[in-house]
Amino acid sequence: MTSHGHGIARATRPRTEEQRQADLDKIARYRTLEDDIRDRVSRQDYDQDTFSLTSKLLRQNPEYYTVWNIRRRCLTSGSSSKPWAMSSLSKGSSTFSATGTSHLASASSSPPSSTETPPSHNYPKTGMSGTTAETTEDRQMRDLEIIKSELVFTVPLLMEFPKCYWIWNYRLWTLGQAIVRLPTHVARKVWEEELGLVGKMLHRDRRNFHAWGYRRYVVDQLESAALAGQSMTESEFEYTTKMIRMDLSNFSAWHYRSQLIPRLLRERDADDQARQKFLDDELAFIRDGLNVGPEDQSLWFYHQFLASNIIDDACSQTIAPALSVDQRRSYIEREIDEIKDLLEDYTDVKWIYEALIQYTQSLSRLGQQAKPTELKDWLAQLKSLDPQRTGRWNDLEAQLYAA
Amino acid sequence: MTEAPATTKQLHLATDAHVQYIQSLDTHKDELDYWLTEHLRLNGVYWGLTALHLLGHPDALPPDETLDFILSCQHESGGFGAAPGHDAHMLSTVSAVQILAMVDGFDELDRRGKGKAQVGKYIAQLQNRETGTFYGDEWGEEDTRFLYGALNALSLLGLTSLVDVERAVSYVASCANFDGGYGVRPGAESHSGQIFTCVAALAIAKRLDLVDQEKLGQWLSERQVPGGGLNGRPEKKEDVCYSWWVLSSLSIIGKIHWIDRDGLIQFILQSQDTEKGGIADRPGDMVDVWHTCFGAAGLSLLGYPSMEEVDPVYCMPKAVIKRVLG
C-alpha cells in the first residue's frame, strides 16, 4: 500500500551488453554511496559529511526512508555542537508535539520567494566552534537558514516525484521545526510560503491526492494558535470555487468544498434565511455544471451531498436545518423537475435516471407518493444504459418493489 | 509488453509464468532498480508470497529462506525494517507479521527473533492514545493505512488488547465522508485504498455497523470504467491494484455483485504478461510484483477457477487466516 506509481521493480526491458555494463557501473556507485552512509551511521557519525551524502543519495532515490531519517538525525541528534541538537530545543523535546495534538509536525515550505540558487551544501556552518555565547537570535537565524535550505532541497524532488510520501513527510517535519524553533511571526511566514507551493503543485496536477491532503494540513497549521492564525475558511472556500470553475470534474475540490461548508456557515453566523440563500446558490452552481456535463460523476456526487442536506433533518451539520418538511419536499420536487429537463437534451445518461429514482425515493420518505410507472421506466433505462452494474440495479428493483 | 489479445474470451491466467516471475524477482541484482527498491524488499516478499499462495504454489519460495530473511530485518524494538540496515516502520512490520503467519513462523519468531510480545509492543507504542490513530514510525506520520496495519498485525498475533481499539474505531468513523468513503485523515478525500484500510479495520474490530454500506457501495461500484477495470477515485484511470482495494471493500460489505465480474476478470487477464509472467497496472505496461499480487487477489475474490480463496480483510489466503485465528 505504500508505493503506488513508482518505486516498484519492473520486469526488465531487453538490454545490450553495453547497457548492462553501464547499469553495473551505476549499481556499484550507488552501493558505494549507500555503504559509506551505513558505515558512518554504525559509528554514530552524524556529521556534515554524512549529511552531504544523504543529499546525494536522496537525489537518486527519494524513496529511501531510512536515509531521510538519517538526515533528520544529522540535524537533531548527538552532541550540542550539532545544529539541532536536542539540548538546544527550547520547547518540546522531540520532533513530535510541535503542534499539539497533531503529531505530524510540520509542513510548509516553498522556496524562499527569491529565485537564487540554493547553496549546494545545506548543512549549516555551525561555526563558532564550541562557542557557548551564541545568542537566541543568532540561533534562530541559523535555524531559519537550515529550515529554508531543507525546504529548497526537497522542491525539485517533489516536482520529479510528486507522489512520494517520504518527501512530503520530510517537508512537514521540517516545517514543524519552524514552529518549535522560530519566533511565531517568522515561522508563520515560512508556512505561508508553503501554501504558495501547494498551490503550484495543484496547478500542475489538479487531483494530486497528496497535495490536497497537504494543503488541508498546511491550512490547519496556519489557522492554529501556534502560528497566531485565524480561520481561513472563507479564502479556502473561494479557492475551491476557483478550482471548480477551472475544471468541473475536480472531485477533490468538490470534496473539500463539502468539508468547508458547515464551518463556513457557522463562522458567518448565518441565520436561517442566509442558510437557505446559501443552499439556493449551491444548487444553482451545481445545476450549471450538470447542464453542461451530466456525464460527470463528480457533479452528481456533489448534488447528492446537497440533496442529503435537504432530506436529512436529523443531521446537525445540515446547511439549512430549519427547513420545514413542506419546504424540503418542494426543494426535492424542484430538483427532480430540473433533472427531468436534462432528459430533453440527454437521453442516454444513466446518472439522470439514477438521480430521478433516488430523489423520488427520498420524496416518498418525505410523504410524497411516487408514480410506479415512472420509476419502472427509469429503472429499465438504467438497466439498459448501465449493464455493468446490473447486480446493483436488481437490488434496487427489489427494494422498490418491497416498498 | 503484453499485447492486447484478439479474442479476449480465450484468455486464461498464466499461473506457471507468474510463479516463475515471482521466483525470479531476487535474481535481478544486475539491475539498478533492484537496488533502488530495497526499501520495499520485505513488502515485496509479502506481495510475492501472497500471490504464490493464491496461485496454489505456496512453497515456490523456500519457506526457510523466507523466514531467515524476515528475522534478519527485525530490530531490538521488535519492529521490522524493509531490509537489513533499514529503519523499523509500521508498513514493513505488518508485512513481516503477515509473512510469518503464512510460513507458520510465529514460533520461530519467539525462538530466534525478538518474540511476538515485542512486536506487539512496537506496534502498540505507535498508537496516538489521544486520537486512536497510528503513526508509521517514530517520526510521527499519521495515516489510516497504519491504523489498519496495526489492527491487522495485532489480531494475527492475538495482541489487540495492547491498544485502544475503541478509540481507533472512532478515529476511523471520523474519517467518513459524505460519499460513504474514507480518507487518510478526517476531512481527507475518499480514496479506494484508504476505504479498504478503514473498512477492513472496522471489520477486524467487528464494527461494520458504522459503515454507510449503501452509499459506500454506490461510490465503489462507480469505480468500474467501461473497459472493465476499476479506478481509485472519480475521473481517474483504471489500474489493476484497485481490483483489490475496491473489490475487497465491496466484498466486506457484501456487494461484490454490484460490478461486472467478467469485465474485471478480462481486464486483469489482459494486464498479464503471459510469457514472462507478472501482471501490470493496465494492459500494455510493464509488470511488477505489487500488481501481480493485487491482480491475483482480485481474481481470487472474483472466484476465478482453481485459485486459493483470499480473505478480503487480510489480503491473505483464507486457509491461513483460519489456521491463525481459529
Side-chain angles (χ1 to χ4, degrees), chain B residues 8-281:
Chain B
T8 54
K9 288 293 169 209
Q10 290 162 3
L11 279 178
H12 64 277
L13 182 65
T15 302
D16 291 344
H18 297 323
V19 171
Q20 280 172 26
Y21 164 72
I22 294 166
Q23 285 176 321
S24 78
L25 285 170
D26 209 40
T27 63
H28 296 200
K29 296 183 184 172
D30 62 346
E31 291 163 23
L32 183 58
D33 255 6
Y34 178 88
W35 299 101
L36 291 181
T37 56
E38 196 179 69
H39 62 280
L40 290 171
R41 199 69 81 226
L42 204 151
N43 306 75
V45 174
Y46 160 74
W47 297 323
L49 190 60
T50 301
L52 288 173
H53 272 259
L54 301 178
L55 292 166
H57 291 74
D59 294 326
L61 292 179
D64 289 352
E65 285 175 32
T66 302
L67 192 59
D68 290 345
F69 173 72
I70 300 308
L71 294 178
S72 75
C73 299
Q74 195 175 22
H75 290 247
E76 283 301 323
S77 64
F80 291 79
H86 291 248
D87 286 353
H89 193 279
M90 178 72 87
L91 294 176
S92 32
T93 301
V94 175
S95 285
V97 171
Q98 290 180 293
I99 295 162
L100 289 169
M102 281 191 274
V103 300
D104 203 0
F106 286 154
D107 290 344
E108 287 297 298
L109 173 65
D110 278 334
R111 203 162 27 243
R112 288 158 54 201
K114 315 290 175 239
K116 275 162 74 174
Q118 192 66 18
V119 180
K121 207 172 134 192
Y122 172 80
I123 294 173
Q125 51 95 24
L126 289 174
Q127 185 173 33
N128 178 336
R129 297 281 167 162
E130 255 172 69
T131 66
T133 193
F134 284 79
Y135 309 119
D137 61 15
E138 64 190 284
W139 302 100
E141 183 196 2
E142 292 180 349
D143 187 319
T144 42
R145 288 179 303 152
F146 309 145
L147 186 153
Y148 161 70
L151 294 192
N152 176 324
L154 288 173
S155 63
L156 292 174
L157 294 166
L159 295 173
T160 44
S161 60
L162 294 181
V163 296
D164 189 339
V165 175
E166 208 177 310
R167 207 157 274 205
V169 164
S170 19
Y171 185 84
V172 172
S174 74
C175 295
N177 290 319
F178 74 83
D179 49 34
Y182 296 85
V184 175
R185 280 183 291 273
E189 180 186 351
S190 297
H191 179 290
S192 300
Q194 310 297 148
I195 290 173
F196 163 76
T197 64
C198 288
V199 172
L202 292 175
I204 292 171
K206 301 193 168 46
R207 288 308 308 277
L208 285 173
D209 60 295
L210 295 173
V211 180
D212 187 338
Q213 304 194 5
E214 195 70 19
K215 260 192 189 169
L216 177 60
Q218 285 178 21
W219 192 88
L220 288 170
S221 76
E222 296 299 345
R223 297 307 105 239
Q224 190 165 37
V225 303
L230 304 170
N231 63 17
R233 292 184 286 153
E235 320 294 345
K236 300 287 283 186
K237 264 189 174 174
E238 69 274 30
D239 183 318
V240 160
C241 70
Y242 293 111
S243 308
W244 179 254
W245 314 121
V246 174
L247 205 60
S248 57
S249 305
L250 280 170
S251 167
I252 294 169
I253 61 172
K255 300 198 184 316
I256 205 166
H257 62 291
W258 279 18
I259 57 143
D260 173 17
R261 173 179 181 273
D262 293 341
L264 181 56
I265 289 178
Q266 291 303 315
F267 173 74
I268 299 173
L269 293 180
Q270 285 165 18
S271 305
Q272 303 177 98
D273 183 331
T274 49
E275 279 171 29
K276 291 184 181 157
I279 302 177
D281 56 355

